[in-house]
Amino acid sequence: GAGVSQSPSNKVTEKGKDVELRCDPISGHTALYWYRQRLGQGLEFLIYFQGNSAPDKSGLPSDRFSAERTGESVSTLTIQRTQQEDSAVYLCASSSQSGAGGFGEQYFGPGTRLTVT
Amino acid sequence: AQTVTQSQPEMSVQEAETVTLSCTYDTSESDYYLFWYKQPPSRQMILVIRQEAYKQQNATENRFSVNFQKAAKSFSLKISDSQLGDAAMYFCAYNGGATNKLIFGTGTLLAVQP
């Protein structure tokens, strides 16, 4: 596809259930990021994958959150035992890391809106 | 730790007029990047403009320009000849360091009045 895609677009789940969110980055992009956006707020960094390097998990809010990425393709963000405070839009971005000075523009997907009831 | 502050939760501008959105940041890095992103109701984050800190010249993209004051750690966005399609949430973002993660401000909701 031409851009970053995410699925599902919306997810409603009951408190205590596990959820998986999927991100398909732009083909060839080596870097992939997950961000969380709570209602009316800016984006919070969660996790960053770069090629085969160990991911930067410094933004994950608790051990209920985890993410995986296979090579330079799809990534899944898993939230276990969901809580109401996990309700937010989860955005994925990818970049080629080839921009000037080593920073590539991050291209964002449309996000997954998660609602925990 | 780096922080980004947007002190204007909401702004309004008349169509065809000019509006300036404010952003300040805090960092101890000397080399970094600054960005303005637009987020319409569709949730899609769109890069509006970027500025490399080592460049003294302010970035410009058509009707969008920035006023980058490195010493003051200020990075404002000016939108000229505002259009109805400019209505959106605007986020200022910072990147500096090894991981390339973006640090975002809390956003400014821009309304454009016809």
Side-chain angles (χ1 to χ4, degrees):
Chain A
V4 178
S5 60
Q6 292 186 246
S7 61
S9 178
N10 291 283
K11 175 71 177 178
V12 180
T13 190
E14 292 181 352
K15 177 181 173 181
K17 300 282 190 182
D18 297 352
V19 295
E20 273 193 2
L21 311 180
R22 177 187 169 106
C23 172
D24 281 272
I26 293 172
S27 177
H29 278 191
T30 58
L32 186 146
Y33 310 77
W34 282 98
Y35 295 88
R36 177 173 70 179
Q37 184 177 26
R38 290 187 160 132
L39 184 65
Q41 300 196 12
L43 280 67
E44 305 169 73
F45 166 78
L46 295 177
I47 189 168
Y48 159 69
F49 295 92
Q50 170 57 50
N52 294 319
S53 302
D56 176 357
K57 304 179 182 180
S58 61
L60 294 178
S62 77
D63 59 7
R64 296 186 296 104
F65 288 72
S66 63
E68 293 183 348
R69 187 185 188 195
T70 306
E72 295 181 357
S73 61
V74 171
S75 175
T76 55
L77 176 68
T78 301
I79 309 173
Q80 296 178 309
R81 305 181 301 281
T82 51
Q83 303 294 313
Q84 288 186 331
E85 63 262 28
D86 299 334
S87 295
V89 174
Y90 290 83
L91 289 147
C92 174
S94 70
S95 76
S96 65
Q97 297 292 94
S98 60
F103 182 88
E105 177 182 342
Q106 293 188 23
Y107 294 83
F108 284 83
T112 294
R113 182 180 298 281
L114 175 66
T115 303
V116 182
T117 61
Chain B
Q2 296 91 355
T3 58
V4 176
T5 302
Q6 293 179 251
S7 59
Q8 305 156 315
E10 298 182 12
M11 292 283 284
S12 181
V13 63
Q14 292 291 129
E15 198 175 2
E17 296 295 307
T18 296
V19 64
T20 298
L21 309 183
S22 301
C23 173
T24 58
Y25 59 95
D26 189 23
T27 183
S28 57
E29 304 271 352
S30 59
D31 193 18
Y32 50 87
Y33 300 82
L34 295 163
F35 306 83
W36 279 97
Y37 279 87
K38 171 184 178 181
Q39 187 180 42
S42 67
R43 296 201 307 244
Q44 187 73 53
M45 294 287 284
I46 302 164
L47 179 63
V48 174
I49 199 165
R50 61 183 282 173
Q51 174 82 42
E52 290 89 344
Y54 66 86
K55 290 186 177 178
Q56 294 185 345
Q57 186 172 7
N58 289 323
T60 299
E61 289 286 342
N62 300 313
R63 297 182 295 107
F64 299 87
S65 61
V66 299
N67 183 4
F68 173 49
Q69 302 289 327
K70 191 172 184 179
K73 295 180 181 173
S74 171
F75 182 61
S76 60
L77 174 70
K78 185 171 81 171
I79 306 174
S80 304
D81 185 26
S82 297
Q83 301 176 359
L84 295 177
D86 295 334
M89 183 72 85
Y90 285 81
F91 291 99
C92 178
Y94 164 98
N95 167 264
T99 63
N100 287 334
K101 66 183 180 184
L102 289 167
I103 299 170
F104 286 84
T106 51
T108 296
L109 182 61
L110 178 66
V112 180
Q113 308 299 331

